[in-house]
Amino acid sequence: MVTTTYQVQGMTCGHCVSAVSAEVGAIPGVNDVQVDLAAGRVSVTSEQPLDENAVRAAVDEAGYELLGA
Amino acid sequence: MVTTTYQVQGMTCGHCVSAVSAEVGAIPGVNDVQVDLAAGRVSVTSEQPLDENAVRAAVDEAGYELLGA
């Protein structure tokens, strides 16, 4: 298992957390997503290291911006 | 038609707007709900004047607080 923590901009409430969790959680190979709303951090646990572009696309699809890992 | 504008606390993003719009829009007799996120204002248009308690309950159900009309 690999857990990578990303910085995500724009999340403001529990709905935002749900939206990001759902989109990132739908990436193939992702086992768990933990969001720290106050810190703007999203920790993604997966079987294999993920393509950051896939994570970026999922965060974008949810309506937010991935700033980096 | 009557339009009443309420002050609602706690809305931070588009998901919050959707949640409040859906709950308040489901009150019988409500024809339209407009939310000004930045101002925290919810304008409700209805056929007859609404019971403020019904609006308060809907806003509460969505997870926010109605401060007053």
Side-chain angles (χ1 to χ4, degrees):
Chain A
M1 289 291 184
V2 184
T3 298
T4 307
T5 299
Y6 303 90
Q7 199 70 30
V8 171
Q9 190 169 55
M11 299 184 297
T12 56
C13 75
H15 297 114
C16 301
V17 171
S18 299
V20 168
S21 298
E23 288 292 342
V24 175
I27 298 171
V30 169
N31 290 87
D32 189 47
V33 182
Q34 296 292 328
V35 179
D36 181 332
L37 174 60
R41 277 196 290 263
V42 179
S43 295
V44 186
T45 302
S46 53
E47 292 155 20
Q48 306 291 333
L50 294 172
D51 179 354
E52 185 169 314
N53 287 329
V55 181
R56 185 179 304 279
V59 168
D60 183 77
E61 182 67 23
Y64 307 93
E65 187 185 358
L66 192 151
L67 298 178
Chain B
M1 288 292 182
V2 185
T3 298
T4 307
T5 300
Y6 302 90
Q7 199 69 30
V8 171
Q9 191 169 53
M11 300 184 297
T12 56
C13 75
H15 297 114
C16 300
V17 172
S18 299
V20 168
S21 298
E23 289 291 342
V24 174
I27 298 171
V30 168
N31 290 87
D32 190 47
V33 181
Q34 296 291 328
V35 179
D36 181 331
L37 174 61
R41 278 196 289 263
V42 179
S43 295
V44 186
T45 302
S46 53
E47 292 154 21
Q48 306 291 332
L50 293 171
D51 179 354
E52 184 168 315
N53 287 329
V55 180
R56 186 180 304 278
V59 168
D60 183 76
E61 182 67 24
Y64 306 92
E65 187 185 358
L66 192 151
L67 299 178

